[in-house]
Amino acid sequence: MRIVLLGPPGAGKGTYASYFKKKYCIPHISTGDIFRAEIAKNTELGRRIKEYIEKGLLVPDEIVIEVVKQRLSQPDCEKGFILDGFPRTIAQAKALDKITKIDAAIHLYVPMEVAVDRLSNRYICPKCGRIYNLKFMPPKNDLVCDDDGTPLIRRKDDEPEVIRKRYEIYYQTFQPIIDFYKEKDILIEFDNTVGSEVGIPMLEKILIEKNILKIEPCNPSVSIQ
Ligand code: AP5
């Protein structure tokens, strides 16, 4: 199962990807997460991209493509992967096409104000990556992760003004990517305005029916978070 998750900020890419990762044991590769980790470690790459991320701007293609190429060459990607947040430009989509074959490109979408509402209430566990939402999927205890007790954090770019800018920028480069995957007949459009407890099983069923999701779950009892 080699999948790309397309969609604007707040569409739910990370939420869906972490469910599939836990249930089917395939890597969830988020370019945003890779970049934030580099910034936190203050690496040379982290210093080069910090400003782009904090302002909500796209990181230049050549940097992103190289990072993804290296990540996909790791052995854990052999049985499949979920790419989250890549490609974001047609140059990235074409580069990916040269690196590997993709089975499905899923466009998760929500209106801008739904995204602003969700992201303004998003909290993340910095240790395991689990995503919470104070309104829709709150942690059981005050701002600590249900799984490992780590204090939850907010992302610097999750401020309403930056969210709106990220959303607009996302759709500026989007149409050629959609056309690219439409032409290959692997595009799946999915409205994620519905709650995750409805949306996740619905998308899972679509992927099984289309014979894209062919592997057995490694953790069949994973719950929808
Ligand atoms: P990135 O980290 O990829 O962020 P993004 O695309 O802006 O997406 P988000 O992570 O904000 O949203 P999501 O769709 O994953 O939503 P989530 O599942 O958390 O990129 C960050 C930055 O890195 C970019 O701005 C850019 O600078 C750079 N970058 C990254 N990739 C790049 C590339 N390829 N090229 C160039 N630059 C790049 O859900 C959001 C919230 O909603 C959560 O709180 C969740 O709990 C809740 N939620 C989810 N689904 C539902 C639901 N169905 N009902 C209710 N609540 C829900």
Side-chain angles (χ1 to χ4, degrees), residues 7-16 30-33 35-36 49 52-54 56-61 64 68 84-89 92 108 115 118-119 121-124 131-134 136-137 155 157-158 166 170 192-197 199 225:
K13 304 180 296 294
T15 304
Y16 279 60
S30 155
T31 40
D33 285 349
F35 293 147
R36 281 183 290 278
I49 59 178
Y52 294 104
I53 306 271
E54 286 179 0
L57 303 174
L58 292 184
V59 172
D61 283 339
V64 193
V68 171
D84 159 6
F86 182 94
R88 265 182 163 88
T89 63
Q92 294 179 14
L108 285 182
R118 286 184 183 172
L119 293 177
N121 289 290
R122 170 167 68 178
Y123 280 79
I124 300 169
I131 301 164
Y132 295 87
N133 193 291
L134 289 196
F136 308 109
M137 302 168 214
R155 270 171 48 177
D157 58 354
D158 275 350
R166 281 161 53 205
Y170 186 81
N192 188 34
T193 318
V194 292
S196 305
E197 58 297 343
Q225 295 161 347

Short mmCIF file of all heavy atoms in Angstrom, two decimals, residues 7-16 30-33 35-36 49 52-54 56-61 64 68 84-89 92 108 115 118-119 121-124 131-134 136-137 155 157-158 166 170 192-197 199 225, ligand 1:
data_model
loop_
_atom_site.label_atom_id
_atom_site.label_comp_id
_atom_site.label_asym_id
_atom_site.label_seq_id
_atom_site.Cartn_x
_atom_site.Cartn_y
_atom_site.Cartn_z
N GLY A 7 -4.15 17.21 0.82
CA GLY A 7 -5.21 17.93 1.52
C GLY A 7 -4.65 19.09 2.30
O GLY A 7 -3.51 19.07 2.75
N PRO A 8 -5.50 20.11 2.50
CA PRO A 8 -5.04 21.33 3.16
C PRO A 8 -4.75 21.08 4.64
O PRO A 8 -5.14 20.05 5.18
CB PRO A 8 -6.24 22.27 3.00
CG PRO A 8 -7.42 21.36 2.94
CD PRO A 8 -6.94 20.13 2.22
N PRO A 9 -4.08 22.03 5.30
CA PRO A 9 -3.85 21.93 6.74
C PRO A 9 -5.19 21.69 7.44
O PRO A 9 -6.20 22.31 7.08
CB PRO A 9 -3.32 23.31 7.13
CG PRO A 9 -2.87 23.93 5.87
CD PRO A 9 -3.58 23.29 4.74
N GLY A 10 -5.19 20.79 8.41
CA GLY A 10 -6.41 20.56 9.19
C GLY A 10 -7.38 19.59 8.55
O GLY A 10 -8.43 19.29 9.12
N ALA A 11 -7.03 19.05 7.37
CA ALA A 11 -7.95 18.12 6.70
C ALA A 11 -8.00 16.78 7.43
O ALA A 11 -8.93 16.00 7.23
CB ALA A 11 -7.53 17.92 5.26
N GLY A 12 -6.97 16.48 8.22
CA GLY A 12 -6.97 15.22 8.98
C GLY A 12 -5.93 14.22 8.48
O GLY A 12 -5.98 13.04 8.84
N LYS A 13 -4.97 14.67 7.68
CA LYS A 13 -3.97 13.75 7.09
C LYS A 13 -3.22 12.99 8.19
O LYS A 13 -3.10 11.77 8.14
CB LYS A 13 -2.96 14.53 6.21
CG LYS A 13 -3.62 15.35 5.12
CD LYS A 13 -2.61 16.09 4.27
CE LYS A 13 -1.80 17.16 5.02
NZ LYS A 13 -2.57 18.31 5.50
N GLY A 14 -2.74 13.71 9.18
CA GLY A 14 -1.97 13.09 10.26
C GLY A 14 -2.83 12.13 11.07
O GLY A 14 -2.39 11.05 11.46
N THR A 15 -4.08 12.50 11.31
CA THR A 15 -5.00 11.67 12.10
C THR A 15 -5.25 10.34 11.39
O THR A 15 -5.17 9.27 11.98
CB THR A 15 -6.33 12.43 12.30
OG1 THR A 15 -6.03 13.69 12.91
CG2 THR A 15 -7.31 11.67 13.16
N TYR A 16 -5.54 10.40 10.09
CA TYR A 16 -5.81 9.18 9.32
C TYR A 16 -4.54 8.34 9.20
O TYR A 16 -4.57 7.12 9.37
CB TYR A 16 -6.34 9.54 7.91
CG TYR A 16 -7.82 9.87 7.90
CD1 TYR A 16 -8.32 10.92 8.66
CD2 TYR A 16 -8.71 9.12 7.15
CE1 TYR A 16 -9.67 11.23 8.66
CE2 TYR A 16 -10.07 9.42 7.14
CZ TYR A 16 -10.55 10.48 7.89
OH TYR A 16 -11.89 10.77 7.89
N SER A 30 5.67 11.94 7.26
CA SER A 30 5.14 13.30 7.18
C SER A 30 6.31 14.26 6.98
O SER A 30 7.20 14.34 7.83
CB SER A 30 4.40 13.64 8.49
OG SER A 30 4.37 15.04 8.69
N THR A 31 6.30 14.95 5.84
CA THR A 31 7.41 15.89 5.60
C THR A 31 7.42 16.98 6.67
O THR A 31 8.48 17.39 7.14
CB THR A 31 7.33 16.49 4.18
OG1 THR A 31 5.97 16.78 3.87
CG2 THR A 31 7.91 15.55 3.15
N GLY A 32 6.23 17.40 7.09
CA GLY A 32 6.16 18.42 8.15
C GLY A 32 6.82 17.93 9.44
O GLY A 32 7.60 18.64 10.07
N ASP A 33 6.53 16.66 9.82
CA ASP A 33 7.13 16.11 11.05
C ASP A 33 8.65 16.00 10.91
O ASP A 33 9.38 16.29 11.86
CB ASP A 33 6.57 14.70 11.34
CG ASP A 33 5.15 14.73 11.88
OD1 ASP A 33 4.66 15.84 12.21
OD2 ASP A 33 4.52 13.66 11.96
N PHE A 35 10.59 17.85 9.09
CA PHE A 35 11.16 19.21 9.18
C PHE A 35 11.15 19.74 10.62
O PHE A 35 12.12 20.31 11.08
CB PHE A 35 10.41 20.18 8.26
CG PHE A 35 10.59 19.88 6.80
CD1 PHE A 35 9.57 20.13 5.89
CD2 PHE A 35 11.78 19.36 6.32
CE1 PHE A 35 9.73 19.85 4.54
CE2 PHE A 35 11.95 19.08 4.97
CZ PHE A 35 10.92 19.32 4.08
N ARG A 36 10.03 19.51 11.33
CA ARG A 36 9.96 20.00 12.72
C ARG A 36 11.00 19.32 13.59
O ARG A 36 11.60 19.95 14.47
CB ARG A 36 8.54 19.83 13.28
CG ARG A 36 7.57 20.90 12.79
CD ARG A 36 6.19 20.75 13.42
NE ARG A 36 5.49 19.58 12.93
CZ ARG A 36 4.81 19.52 11.80
NH1 ARG A 36 4.70 20.58 11.03
NH2 ARG A 36 4.20 18.41 11.43
N ILE A 49 15.37 25.61 6.99
CA ILE A 49 13.93 25.57 6.69
C ILE A 49 13.05 26.25 7.75
O ILE A 49 11.87 26.47 7.51
CB ILE A 49 13.46 24.11 6.52
CG1 ILE A 49 13.75 23.32 7.79
CG2 ILE A 49 14.11 23.46 5.31
CD1 ILE A 49 13.29 21.89 7.75
N TYR A 52 10.70 29.20 6.73
CA TYR A 52 9.59 28.81 5.84
C TYR A 52 8.45 28.22 6.66
O TYR A 52 7.29 28.58 6.50
CB TYR A 52 10.03 27.73 4.84
CG TYR A 52 11.07 28.18 3.84
CD1 TYR A 52 12.40 27.80 3.98
CD2 TYR A 52 10.71 28.95 2.75
CE1 TYR A 52 13.36 28.18 3.06
CE2 TYR A 52 11.66 29.33 1.81
CZ TYR A 52 12.98 28.95 1.98
OH TYR A 52 13.92 29.32 1.06
N ILE A 53 8.79 27.28 7.55
CA ILE A 53 7.76 26.55 8.31
C ILE A 53 7.00 27.52 9.23
O ILE A 53 5.78 27.52 9.26
CB ILE A 53 8.40 25.45 9.20
CG1 ILE A 53 9.27 24.52 8.37
CG2 ILE A 53 7.35 24.71 10.02
CD1 ILE A 53 8.61 23.36 7.77
N GLU A 54 7.74 28.35 9.95
CA GLU A 54 7.07 29.21 10.94
C GLU A 54 6.17 30.24 10.27
O GLU A 54 5.17 30.66 10.84
CB GLU A 54 8.10 29.83 11.88
CG GLU A 54 8.59 28.75 12.83
CD GLU A 54 9.65 29.19 13.81
OE1 GLU A 54 10.03 30.38 13.78
OE2 GLU A 54 10.11 28.34 14.61
N GLY A 56 4.56 29.55 7.48
CA GLY A 56 3.53 28.83 6.72
C GLY A 56 3.83 28.75 5.23
O GLY A 56 2.95 28.44 4.43
N LEU A 57 5.08 29.05 4.83
CA LEU A 57 5.45 29.01 3.41
C LEU A 57 5.97 27.63 3.04
O LEU A 57 6.41 26.87 3.90
CB LEU A 57 6.56 30.05 3.13
CG LEU A 57 6.23 31.49 3.51
CD1 LEU A 57 7.46 32.38 3.33
CD2 LEU A 57 5.07 32.00 2.65
N LEU A 58 5.96 27.31 1.74
CA LEU A 58 6.47 26.01 1.30
C LEU A 58 7.99 26.00 1.34
O LEU A 58 8.65 26.97 0.95
CB LEU A 58 6.01 25.70 -0.12
CG LEU A 58 4.52 25.45 -0.33
CD1 LEU A 58 4.24 25.07 -1.78
CD2 LEU A 58 4.01 24.36 0.60
N VAL A 59 8.54 24.88 1.77
CA VAL A 59 9.99 24.67 1.73
C VAL A 59 10.35 24.42 0.27
O VAL A 59 9.58 23.77 -0.46
CB VAL A 59 10.35 23.46 2.64
CG1 VAL A 59 11.79 23.06 2.50
CG2 VAL A 59 10.00 23.78 4.10
N PRO A 60 11.51 24.92 -0.24
CA PRO A 60 11.83 24.75 -1.66
C PRO A 60 11.85 23.26 -2.09
O PRO A 60 12.26 22.39 -1.32
CB PRO A 60 13.24 25.36 -1.77
CG PRO A 60 13.32 26.34 -0.64
CD PRO A 60 12.48 25.76 0.47
N ASP A 61 11.37 23.04 -3.33
CA ASP A 61 11.22 21.67 -3.85
C ASP A 61 12.48 20.82 -3.70
O ASP A 61 12.41 19.66 -3.31
CB ASP A 61 10.85 21.72 -5.34
CG ASP A 61 9.40 22.08 -5.56
OD1 ASP A 61 8.59 21.91 -4.62
OD2 ASP A 61 9.07 22.55 -6.67
N VAL A 64 12.88 19.38 -0.24
CA VAL A 64 11.84 18.41 0.13
C VAL A 64 12.04 17.10 -0.63
O VAL A 64 11.95 16.00 -0.06
CB VAL A 64 10.42 18.96 -0.17
CG1 VAL A 64 9.38 18.10 0.51
CG2 VAL A 64 10.27 20.38 0.25
N VAL A 68 12.61 13.28 0.98
CA VAL A 68 11.67 12.18 0.75
C VAL A 68 12.38 11.01 0.06
O VAL A 68 12.17 9.84 0.41
CB VAL A 68 10.45 12.67 -0.07
CG1 VAL A 68 9.59 11.50 -0.52
CG2 VAL A 68 9.63 13.64 0.76
N ASP A 84 2.46 11.83 3.92
CA ASP A 84 1.53 12.84 4.42
C ASP A 84 2.17 14.22 4.20
O ASP A 84 3.22 14.50 4.75
CB ASP A 84 1.27 12.51 5.92
CG ASP A 84 0.76 13.67 6.75
OD1 ASP A 84 0.48 14.74 6.21
OD2 ASP A 84 0.64 13.48 7.98
N GLY A 85 1.53 15.03 3.36
CA GLY A 85 2.06 16.38 3.12
C GLY A 85 3.03 16.44 1.95
O GLY A 85 3.66 17.47 1.73
N PHE A 86 3.14 15.39 1.20
CA PHE A 86 4.01 15.35 0.02
C PHE A 86 3.32 14.50 -1.02
O PHE A 86 2.88 13.39 -0.66
CB PHE A 86 5.37 14.73 0.39
CG PHE A 86 6.35 14.69 -0.77
CD1 PHE A 86 7.27 15.71 -0.96
CD2 PHE A 86 6.35 13.62 -1.66
CE1 PHE A 86 8.16 15.67 -2.02
CE2 PHE A 86 7.23 13.59 -2.72
CZ PHE A 86 8.14 14.61 -2.91
N PRO A 87 3.20 14.90 -2.27
CA PRO A 87 3.71 16.13 -2.85
C PRO A 87 2.79 17.34 -2.61
O PRO A 87 1.61 17.19 -2.44
CB PRO A 87 3.73 15.79 -4.35
CG PRO A 87 2.61 14.84 -4.54
CD PRO A 87 2.53 14.04 -3.28
N ARG A 88 3.41 18.51 -2.64
CA ARG A 88 2.67 19.76 -2.51
C ARG A 88 2.80 20.62 -3.75
O ARG A 88 2.18 21.69 -3.83
CB ARG A 88 3.18 20.55 -1.30
CG ARG A 88 2.39 20.33 -0.04
CD ARG A 88 3.00 21.21 1.03
NE ARG A 88 2.15 21.41 2.15
CZ ARG A 88 2.11 20.62 3.22
NH1 ARG A 88 2.82 19.53 3.26
NH2 ARG A 88 1.34 20.92 4.23
N THR A 89 3.65 20.22 -4.69
CA THR A 89 3.78 20.95 -5.95
C THR A 89 3.86 19.91 -7.07
O THR A 89 4.18 18.74 -6.80
CB THR A 89 5.08 21.79 -6.01
OG1 THR A 89 6.21 20.89 -5.95
CG2 THR A 89 5.18 22.81 -4.89
N GLN A 92 7.19 18.21 -7.25
CA GLN A 92 7.33 17.13 -6.26
C GLN A 92 6.60 15.87 -6.73
O GLN A 92 7.10 14.75 -6.58
CB GLN A 92 6.80 17.58 -4.90
CG GLN A 92 7.61 18.70 -4.25
CD GLN A 92 7.03 19.14 -2.90
OE1 GLN A 92 6.19 18.48 -2.30
NE2 GLN A 92 7.48 20.28 -2.41
N LEU A 108 -8.01 14.44 1.01
CA LEU A 108 -8.90 14.69 2.15
C LEU A 108 -9.19 16.18 2.13
O LEU A 108 -8.28 16.99 2.02
CB LEU A 108 -8.18 14.39 3.47
CG LEU A 108 -7.93 12.96 3.92
CD1 LEU A 108 -7.26 12.98 5.28
CD2 LEU A 108 -9.23 12.18 3.99
N ALA A 115 -11.06 23.93 9.10
CA ALA A 115 -9.62 23.70 9.36
C ALA A 115 -9.13 24.63 10.47
O ALA A 115 -8.41 24.21 11.38
CB ALA A 115 -8.83 23.91 8.08
N ARG A 118 -10.43 23.41 13.81
CA ARG A 118 -9.76 22.18 14.27
C ARG A 118 -8.31 22.46 14.71
O ARG A 118 -7.88 22.00 15.78
CB ARG A 118 -9.73 21.13 13.16
CG ARG A 118 -11.09 20.50 12.94
CD ARG A 118 -10.99 19.40 11.90
NE ARG A 118 -12.32 18.83 11.64
CZ ARG A 118 -12.56 17.96 10.68
NH1 ARG A 118 -11.59 17.58 9.87
NH2 ARG A 118 -13.77 17.48 10.51
N LEU A 119 -7.60 23.20 13.88
CA LEU A 119 -6.16 23.39 14.19
C LEU A 119 -5.96 24.29 15.40
O LEU A 119 -4.98 24.14 16.14
CB LEU A 119 -5.41 23.93 12.98
CG LEU A 119 -5.33 22.95 11.80
CD1 LEU A 119 -4.63 23.60 10.61
CD2 LEU A 119 -4.60 21.67 12.18
N ASN A 121 -7.51 24.12 17.97
CA ASN A 121 -7.73 23.29 19.16
C ASN A 121 -6.88 22.03 19.15
O ASN A 121 -7.14 21.11 19.90
CB ASN A 121 -9.22 22.89 19.22
CG ASN A 121 -10.09 24.07 19.56
OD1 ASN A 121 -10.05 24.55 20.69
ND2 ASN A 121 -10.83 24.58 18.60
N ARG A 122 -5.88 21.98 18.25
CA ARG A 122 -5.06 20.77 18.14
C ARG A 122 -3.93 20.77 19.17
O ARG A 122 -3.23 21.76 19.35
CB ARG A 122 -4.45 20.68 16.73
CG ARG A 122 -3.40 19.58 16.63
CD ARG A 122 -3.02 19.27 15.23
NE ARG A 122 -2.30 20.35 14.57
CZ ARG A 122 -1.83 20.26 13.32
NH1 ARG A 122 -2.06 19.17 12.61
NH2 ARG A 122 -1.18 21.26 12.79
N TYR A 123 -3.73 19.64 19.81
CA TYR A 123 -2.58 19.41 20.69
C TYR A 123 -1.94 18.10 20.26
O TYR A 123 -2.63 17.18 19.81
CB TYR A 123 -3.00 19.34 22.17
CG TYR A 123 -3.21 20.71 22.77
CD1 TYR A 123 -4.38 21.41 22.52
CD2 TYR A 123 -2.22 21.31 23.54
CE1 TYR A 123 -4.57 22.69 23.05
CE2 TYR A 123 -2.40 22.58 24.06
CZ TYR A 123 -3.57 23.26 23.81
OH TYR A 123 -3.74 24.52 24.32
N ILE A 124 -0.60 18.03 20.37
CA ILE A 124 0.13 16.86 19.87
C ILE A 124 1.03 16.32 20.98
O ILE A 124 1.62 17.10 21.73
CB ILE A 124 0.98 17.27 18.65
CG1 ILE A 124 0.06 17.83 17.55
CG2 ILE A 124 1.81 16.11 18.12
CD1 ILE A 124 0.79 18.51 16.43
N ILE A 131 -2.34 12.69 17.93
CA ILE A 131 -2.95 14.01 17.72
C ILE A 131 -4.26 14.09 18.49
O ILE A 131 -5.09 13.18 18.40
CB ILE A 131 -3.21 14.24 16.21
CG1 ILE A 131 -1.89 14.14 15.43
CG2 ILE A 131 -3.88 15.59 15.98
CD1 ILE A 131 -2.08 13.98 13.93
N TYR A 132 -4.45 15.17 19.24
CA TYR A 132 -5.68 15.38 20.00
C TYR A 132 -6.37 16.65 19.53
O TYR A 132 -5.77 17.47 18.81
CB TYR A 132 -5.36 15.54 21.50
CG TYR A 132 -4.77 14.31 22.13
CD1 TYR A 132 -3.40 14.08 22.10
CD2 TYR A 132 -5.59 13.38 22.77
CE1 TYR A 132 -2.87 12.94 22.69
CE2 TYR A 132 -5.07 12.25 23.36
CZ TYR A 132 -3.70 12.03 23.32
OH TYR A 132 -3.17 10.91 23.90
N ASN A 133 -7.60 16.79 19.96
CA ASN A 133 -8.31 18.03 19.69
C ASN A 133 -9.17 18.34 20.91
O ASN A 133 -9.97 17.49 21.32
CB ASN A 133 -9.18 17.86 18.43
CG ASN A 133 -9.68 19.20 17.95
OD1 ASN A 133 -10.51 19.83 18.60
ND2 ASN A 133 -9.14 19.67 16.85
N LEU A 134 -8.96 19.53 21.48
CA LEU A 134 -9.66 19.83 22.73
C LEU A 134 -11.18 19.80 22.56
O LEU A 134 -11.91 19.49 23.49
CB LEU A 134 -9.23 21.19 23.27
CG LEU A 134 -7.81 21.28 23.83
CD1 LEU A 134 -7.64 22.52 24.67
CD2 LEU A 134 -7.43 20.04 24.65
N PHE A 136 -12.88 18.06 19.76
CA PHE A 136 -13.42 16.85 19.13
C PHE A 136 -12.82 15.54 19.65
O PHE A 136 -13.49 14.52 19.63
CB PHE A 136 -13.22 16.91 17.60
CG PHE A 136 -13.73 18.18 17.00
CD1 PHE A 136 -12.87 19.14 16.51
CD2 PHE A 136 -15.10 18.41 16.94
CE1 PHE A 136 -13.35 20.32 15.96
CE2 PHE A 136 -15.60 19.58 16.39
CZ PHE A 136 -14.72 20.55 15.91
N MET A 137 -11.53 15.53 20.01
CA MET A 137 -10.89 14.30 20.50
C MET A 137 -9.98 14.66 21.66
O MET A 137 -8.76 14.62 21.55
CB MET A 137 -10.03 13.66 19.40
CG MET A 137 -10.78 13.33 18.14
SD MET A 137 -9.60 12.94 16.84
CE MET A 137 -10.49 13.59 15.43
N ARG A 155 1.56 23.44 17.95
CA ARG A 155 2.51 23.84 16.91
C ARG A 155 2.52 25.36 16.75
O ARG A 155 1.49 26.00 16.86
CB ARG A 155 2.12 23.19 15.58
CG ARG A 155 2.78 21.86 15.39
CD ARG A 155 2.26 21.09 14.22
NE ARG A 155 2.16 21.84 12.97
CZ ARG A 155 1.78 21.27 11.82
NH1 ARG A 155 1.48 19.99 11.77
NH2 ARG A 155 1.70 22.00 10.72
N ASP A 157 2.83 27.05 14.13
CA ASP A 157 2.08 27.55 12.96
C ASP A 157 0.58 27.29 13.08
O ASP A 157 -0.16 27.46 12.12
CB ASP A 157 2.65 26.96 11.65
CG ASP A 157 2.63 25.43 11.60
OD1 ASP A 157 2.30 24.81 12.64
OD2 ASP A 157 2.95 24.86 10.54
N ASP A 158 0.10 26.91 14.26
CA ASP A 158 -1.33 26.69 14.46
C ASP A 158 -2.03 27.92 15.04
O ASP A 158 -2.90 27.81 15.91
CB ASP A 158 -1.58 25.45 15.34
CG ASP A 158 -1.58 24.16 14.52
OD1 ASP A 158 -1.58 24.24 13.27
OD2 ASP A 158 -1.59 23.08 15.12
N ARG A 166 -1.60 29.22 5.34
CA ARG A 166 -1.18 27.87 4.91
C ARG A 166 -2.24 27.25 4.01
O ARG A 166 -1.93 26.62 3.01
CB ARG A 166 -0.96 26.96 6.14
CG ARG A 166 0.34 27.20 6.85
CD ARG A 166 0.34 26.65 8.27
NE ARG A 166 -0.04 25.27 8.41
CZ ARG A 166 -0.57 24.74 9.52
NH1 ARG A 166 -0.77 25.49 10.60
NH2 ARG A 166 -0.89 23.48 9.57
N TYR A 170 -1.74 26.25 0.18
CA TYR A 170 -1.93 24.85 -0.22
C TYR A 170 -2.66 24.77 -1.56
O TYR A 170 -2.23 24.06 -2.48
CB TYR A 170 -2.70 24.06 0.85
CG TYR A 170 -2.74 22.60 0.47
CD1 TYR A 170 -1.66 21.77 0.74
CD2 TYR A 170 -3.81 22.08 -0.26
CE1 TYR A 170 -1.63 20.46 0.31
CE2 TYR A 170 -3.79 20.76 -0.70
CZ TYR A 170 -2.70 19.96 -0.40
OH TYR A 170 -2.67 18.67 -0.85
N ASN A 192 -13.73 15.05 4.55
CA ASN A 192 -13.52 14.72 5.97
C ASN A 192 -14.17 15.72 6.91
O ASN A 192 -13.72 15.96 8.01
CB ASN A 192 -12.01 14.58 6.27
CG ASN A 192 -11.79 14.04 7.68
OD1 ASN A 192 -12.57 13.24 8.17
ND2 ASN A 192 -10.73 14.49 8.33
N THR A 193 -15.30 16.31 6.44
CA THR A 193 -16.03 17.18 7.35
C THR A 193 -16.74 16.31 8.39
O THR A 193 -17.06 16.76 9.48
CB THR A 193 -17.04 18.06 6.58
OG1 THR A 193 -16.39 18.51 5.40
CG2 THR A 193 -17.48 19.26 7.37
N VAL A 194 -16.97 15.04 8.04
CA VAL A 194 -17.58 14.10 9.00
C VAL A 194 -16.58 13.80 10.12
O VAL A 194 -15.37 13.97 9.93
CB VAL A 194 -17.96 12.76 8.32
CG1 VAL A 194 -19.10 12.94 7.35
CG2 VAL A 194 -16.76 12.10 7.68
N GLY A 195 -17.05 13.32 11.22
CA GLY A 195 -16.16 12.95 12.34
C GLY A 195 -15.26 11.78 11.95
O GLY A 195 -15.64 10.95 11.13
N SER A 196 -14.07 11.69 12.59
CA SER A 196 -13.12 10.62 12.25
C SER A 196 -13.69 9.23 12.50
O SER A 196 -13.35 8.29 11.79
CB SER A 196 -11.87 10.74 13.10
OG SER A 196 -11.32 11.98 12.96
N GLU A 197 -14.56 9.11 13.54
CA GLU A 197 -15.07 7.77 13.85
C GLU A 197 -15.94 7.25 12.71
O GLU A 197 -16.09 6.06 12.53
CB GLU A 197 -15.80 7.74 15.21
CG GLU A 197 -16.98 8.65 15.46
CD GLU A 197 -16.72 10.16 15.40
OE1 GLU A 197 -15.56 10.60 15.49
OE2 GLU A 197 -17.69 10.89 15.26
N GLY A 199 -15.47 8.73 9.36
CA GLY A 199 -14.62 8.89 8.16
C GLY A 199 -13.55 7.82 8.02
O GLY A 199 -13.34 7.29 6.91
N GLN A 225 -8.85 7.15 17.08
CA GLN A 225 -8.60 8.16 18.12
C GLN A 225 -8.90 9.54 17.58
O GLN A 225 -8.73 9.79 16.42
CB GLN A 225 -7.14 8.09 18.54
CG GLN A 225 -6.83 6.76 19.20
CD GLN A 225 -5.36 6.43 19.23
OE1 GLN A 225 -4.55 7.06 18.57
NE2 GLN A 225 -5.00 5.43 19.98
P1 AP5 B 1 2.52 19.75 7.62
O1 AP5 B 1 3.12 19.28 8.90
O2 AP5 B 1 2.39 18.77 6.49
O3 AP5 B 1 1.19 20.44 7.99
P2 AP5 B 1 -0.12 20.71 7.12
O4 AP5 B 1 -0.20 20.15 5.76
O5 AP5 B 1 -0.31 22.15 7.27
O6 AP5 B 1 -1.17 19.78 7.81
P3 AP5 B 1 -1.47 19.68 9.31
O7 AP5 B 1 -0.54 18.73 9.99
O8 AP5 B 1 -1.61 21.03 9.94
O9 AP5 B 1 -2.94 19.06 9.24
P4 AP5 B 1 -3.47 17.58 9.05
O10 AP5 B 1 -4.23 17.50 7.77
O11 AP5 B 1 -2.38 16.55 9.26
O12 AP5 B 1 -4.51 17.53 10.22
P5 AP5 B 1 -4.56 16.66 11.56
O13 AP5 B 1 -4.73 15.20 11.25
O14 AP5 B 1 -3.50 17.05 12.53
O15 AP5 B 1 3.38 20.98 7.01
C1 AP5 B 1 3.82 22.04 7.83
C2 AP5 B 1 4.74 22.95 7.03
O16 AP5 B 1 5.89 22.21 6.56
C3 AP5 B 1 4.13 23.55 5.75
O17 AP5 B 1 3.40 24.72 6.04
C4 AP5 B 1 5.41 23.82 4.93
O18 AP5 B 1 6.06 24.98 5.41
C5 AP5 B 1 6.31 22.63 5.25
N1 AP5 B 1 6.14 21.51 4.32
C6 AP5 B 1 5.68 20.27 4.64
N2 AP5 B 1 5.65 19.47 3.55
C7 AP5 B 1 6.08 20.23 2.52
C8 AP5 B 1 6.25 19.97 1.12
N3 AP5 B 1 5.94 18.77 0.60
N4 AP5 B 1 6.71 20.97 0.33
C9 AP5 B 1 7.03 22.18 0.86
N5 AP5 B 1 6.89 22.49 2.15
C10 AP5 B 1 6.42 21.52 2.99
O19 AP5 B 1 -5.97 17.17 12.10
C11 AP5 B 1 -6.12 18.52 12.51
C12 AP5 B 1 -6.98 18.60 13.78
O20 AP5 B 1 -8.32 18.19 13.44
C13 AP5 B 1 -6.52 17.66 14.89
O21 AP5 B 1 -6.66 18.32 16.11
C14 AP5 B 1 -7.45 16.45 14.80
O22 AP5 B 1 -7.64 15.89 16.06
C15 AP5 B 1 -8.72 17.08 14.23
N6 AP5 B 1 -9.47 16.22 13.33
C16 AP5 B 1 -8.97 15.48 12.28
N7 AP5 B 1 -9.97 14.84 11.64
C17 AP5 B 1 -11.11 15.22 12.30
C18 AP5 B 1 -12.49 14.91 12.10
N8 AP5 B 1 -12.89 14.10 11.14
N9 AP5 B 1 -13.40 15.48 12.92
C19 AP5 B 1 -12.99 16.31 13.92
N10 AP5 B 1 -11.71 16.64 14.15
C20 AP5 B 1 -10.80 16.09 13.35
#
